[in-house]
PDB file of all heavy atoms in Angstrom:
ATOM      1  N   GLY A  89      41.334  -6.482  -3.582  1.00 96.00           N
ATOM      2  CA  GLY A  89      40.349  -5.469  -3.902  1.00 96.00           C
ATOM      3  C   GLY A  89      40.091  -5.246  -5.379  1.00 96.00           C
ATOM      4  O   GLY A  89      39.544  -4.232  -5.781  1.00 96.00           O
ATOM      5  N   VAL A  90      40.486  -6.248  -6.219  1.00 97.00           N
ATOM      6  CA  VAL A  90      40.257  -6.101  -7.645  1.00 97.00           C
ATOM      7  C   VAL A  90      38.756  -6.233  -7.918  1.00 97.00           C
ATOM      8  O   VAL A  90      38.096  -7.117  -7.385  1.00 97.00           O
ATOM      9  CB  VAL A  90      41.055  -7.148  -8.443  1.00 97.00           C
ATOM     10  CG1 VAL A  90      40.846  -6.986  -9.951  1.00 97.00           C
ATOM     11  CG2 VAL A  90      42.564  -7.040  -8.112  1.00 97.00           C
ATOM     12  N   ALA A  91      38.226  -5.315  -8.738  1.00 96.00           N
ATOM     13  CA  ALA A  91      36.777  -5.296  -9.009  1.00 96.00           C
ATOM     14  C   ALA A  91      36.373  -6.542  -9.818  1.00 96.00           C
ATOM     15  O   ALA A  91      36.999  -6.894 -10.797  1.00 96.00           O
ATOM     16  CB  ALA A  91      36.416  -4.036  -9.780  1.00 96.00           C
ATOM     17  N   VAL A  92      35.250  -7.117  -9.411  1.00 97.00           N
ATOM     18  CA  VAL A  92      34.726  -8.334 -10.060  1.00 97.00           C
ATOM     19  C   VAL A  92      33.726  -7.930 -11.153  1.00 97.00           C
ATOM     20  O   VAL A  92      32.800  -7.189 -10.899  1.00 97.00           O
ATOM     21  CB  VAL A  92      34.052  -9.282  -9.023  1.00 97.00           C
ATOM     22  CG1 VAL A  92      33.426 -10.460  -9.728  1.00 97.00           C
ATOM     23  CG2 VAL A  92      35.032  -9.697  -7.951  1.00 97.00           C
ATOM     24  N   ALA A  93      33.939  -8.472 -12.361  1.00 97.00           N
ATOM     25  CA  ALA A  93      32.949  -8.312 -13.410  1.00 97.00           C
ATOM     26  C   ALA A  93      32.130  -9.610 -13.600  1.00 97.00           C
ATOM     27  O   ALA A  93      30.973  -9.575 -13.978  1.00 97.00           O
ATOM     28  CB  ALA A  93      33.625  -7.970 -14.757  1.00 97.00           C
ATOM     29  N   GLN A  94      32.766 -10.746 -13.318  1.00 98.00           N
ATOM     30  CA  GLN A  94      32.114 -12.052 -13.439  1.00 98.00           C
ATOM     31  C   GLN A  94      32.744 -12.986 -12.443  1.00 98.00           C
ATOM     32  O   GLN A  94      33.946 -13.258 -12.508  1.00 98.00           O
ATOM     33  CB  GLN A  94      32.250 -12.585 -14.867  1.00 98.00           C
ATOM     34  CG  GLN A  94      31.619 -13.933 -15.087  1.00 98.00           C
ATOM     35  CD  GLN A  94      31.878 -14.457 -16.480  1.00 98.00           C
ATOM     36  OE1 GLN A  94      33.011 -14.445 -16.957  1.00 98.00           O
ATOM     37  NE2 GLN A  94      30.823 -14.895 -17.159  1.00 98.00           N
ATOM     38  N   ALA A  95      31.935 -13.517 -11.526  1.00 98.00           N
ATOM     39  CA  ALA A  95      32.427 -14.532 -10.583  1.00 98.00           C
ATOM     40  C   ALA A  95      32.752 -15.822 -11.333  1.00 98.00           C
ATOM     41  O   ALA A  95      32.289 -16.014 -12.476  1.00 98.00           O
ATOM     42  CB  ALA A  95      31.365 -14.765  -9.508  1.00 98.00           C
ATOM     43  N   PRO A  96      33.494 -16.714 -10.727  1.00 98.00           N
ATOM     44  CA  PRO A  96      33.816 -17.991 -11.388  1.00 98.00           C
ATOM     45  C   PRO A  96      32.552 -18.710 -11.895  1.00 98.00           C
ATOM     46  O   PRO A  96      31.580 -18.826 -11.194  1.00 98.00           O
ATOM     47  CB  PRO A  96      34.552 -18.804 -10.329  1.00 98.00           C
ATOM     48  CG  PRO A  96      35.169 -17.770  -9.442  1.00 98.00           C
ATOM     49  CD  PRO A  96      34.179 -16.645  -9.383  1.00 98.00           C
ATOM     50  N   VAL A  97      32.688 -19.173 -13.131  1.00 98.00           N
ATOM     51  CA  VAL A  97      31.537 -19.807 -13.781  1.00 98.00           C
ATOM     52  C   VAL A  97      32.085 -20.801 -14.837  1.00 98.00           C
ATOM     53  O   VAL A  97      33.151 -20.573 -15.421  1.00 98.00           O
ATOM     54  CB  VAL A  97      30.626 -18.760 -14.456  1.00 98.00           C
ATOM     55  CG1 VAL A  97      31.330 -17.968 -15.529  1.00 98.00           C
ATOM     56  CG2 VAL A  97      29.336 -19.383 -14.972  1.00 98.00           C
ATOM     57  N   GLU A  98      31.335 -21.845 -15.064  1.00 97.00           N
ATOM     58  CA  GLU A  98      31.677 -22.795 -16.140  1.00 97.00           C
ATOM     59  C   GLU A  98      31.083 -22.263 -17.419  1.00 97.00           C
ATOM     60  O   GLU A  98      29.895 -21.907 -17.494  1.00 97.00           O
ATOM     61  CB  GLU A  98      31.068 -24.169 -15.786  1.00 97.00           C
ATOM     62  CG  GLU A  98      31.566 -25.280 -16.669  1.00 97.00           C
ATOM     63  CD  GLU A  98      33.030 -25.623 -16.442  1.00 97.00           C
ATOM     64  OE1 GLU A  98      33.417 -25.783 -15.291  1.00 97.00           O
ATOM     65  OE2 GLU A  98      33.742 -25.729 -17.441  1.00 97.00           O
ATOM     66  N   MET A  99      31.921 -22.161 -18.452  1.00 97.00           N
ATOM     67  CA  MET A  99      31.449 -21.719 -19.781  1.00 97.00           C
ATOM     68  C   MET A  99      31.839 -22.759 -20.811  1.00 97.00           C
ATOM     69  O   MET A  99      32.465 -23.787 -20.438  1.00 97.00           O
ATOM     70  CB  MET A  99      32.080 -20.348 -20.107  1.00 97.00           C
ATOM     71  CG  MET A  99      31.632 -19.275 -19.115  1.00 97.00           C
ATOM     72  SD  MET A  99      32.188 -17.619 -19.550  1.00 97.00           S
ATOM     73  CE  MET A  99      30.947 -17.250 -20.827  1.00 97.00           C
ATOM     74  N   ASP A 100      31.502 -22.554 -22.075  1.00 95.00           N
ATOM     75  CA  ASP A 100      31.769 -23.527 -23.123  1.00 95.00           C
ATOM     76  C   ASP A 100      33.234 -23.971 -23.186  1.00 95.00           C
ATOM     77  O   ASP A 100      33.537 -25.120 -23.392  1.00 95.00           O
ATOM     78  CB  ASP A 100      31.391 -22.981 -24.497  1.00 95.00           C
ATOM     79  CG  ASP A 100      29.887 -22.769 -24.667  1.00 95.00           C
ATOM     80  OD1 ASP A 100      29.138 -23.248 -23.804  1.00 95.00           O
ATOM     81  OD2 ASP A 100      29.509 -22.140 -25.657  1.00 95.00           O
ATOM     82  N   PHE A 101      34.132 -22.993 -23.023  1.00 95.00           N
ATOM     83  CA  PHE A 101      35.588 -23.237 -23.159  1.00 95.00           C
ATOM     84  C   PHE A 101      36.254 -23.691 -21.912  1.00 95.00           C
ATOM     85  O   PHE A 101      37.381 -24.135 -21.918  1.00 95.00           O
ATOM     86  CB  PHE A 101      36.291 -22.015 -23.698  1.00 95.00           C
ATOM     87  CG  PHE A 101      36.079 -20.780 -22.827  1.00 95.00           C
ATOM     88  CD1 PHE A 101      36.961 -20.532 -21.775  1.00 95.00           C
ATOM     89  CD2 PHE A 101      35.033 -19.926 -23.072  1.00 95.00           C
ATOM     90  CE1 PHE A 101      36.769 -19.421 -20.964  1.00 95.00           C
ATOM     91  CE2 PHE A 101      34.842 -18.811 -22.275  1.00 95.00           C
ATOM     92  CZ  PHE A 101      35.717 -18.560 -21.207  1.00 95.00           C
ATOM     93  N   GLY A 102      35.588 -23.506 -20.729  1.00 96.00           N
ATOM     94  CA  GLY A 102      36.204 -23.891 -19.480  1.00 96.00           C
ATOM     95  C   GLY A 102      35.668 -23.079 -18.284  1.00 96.00           C
ATOM     96  O   GLY A 102      34.655 -22.379 -18.405  1.00 96.00           O
ATOM     97  N   TYR A 103      36.377 -23.151 -17.212  1.00 97.00           N
ATOM     98  CA  TYR A 103      36.046 -22.481 -15.956  1.00 97.00           C
ATOM     99  C   TYR A 103      36.753 -21.140 -15.913  1.00 97.00           C
ATOM    100  O   TYR A 103      37.961 -21.077 -16.148  1.00 97.00           O
ATOM    101  CB  TYR A 103      36.426 -23.391 -14.788  1.00 97.00           C
ATOM    102  CG  TYR A 103      35.975 -22.975 -13.416  1.00 97.00           C
ATOM    103  CD1 TYR A 103      34.633 -22.895 -13.134  1.00 97.00           C
ATOM    104  CD2 TYR A 103      36.895 -22.735 -12.423  1.00 97.00           C
ATOM    105  CE1 TYR A 103      34.228 -22.530 -11.865  1.00 97.00           C
ATOM    106  CE2 TYR A 103      36.488 -22.367 -11.152  1.00 97.00           C
ATOM    107  CZ  TYR A 103      35.126 -22.294 -10.868  1.00 97.00           C
ATOM    108  OH  TYR A 103      34.718 -21.951  -9.586  1.00 97.00           O
TER     109      TYR A 103
END
Side-chain angles (χ1 to χ4, degrees):
V90 182
V92 176
Q94 179 184 49
V97 62
E98 191 69 47
M99 298 187 78
D100 293 349
F101 58 87
Y103 189 61

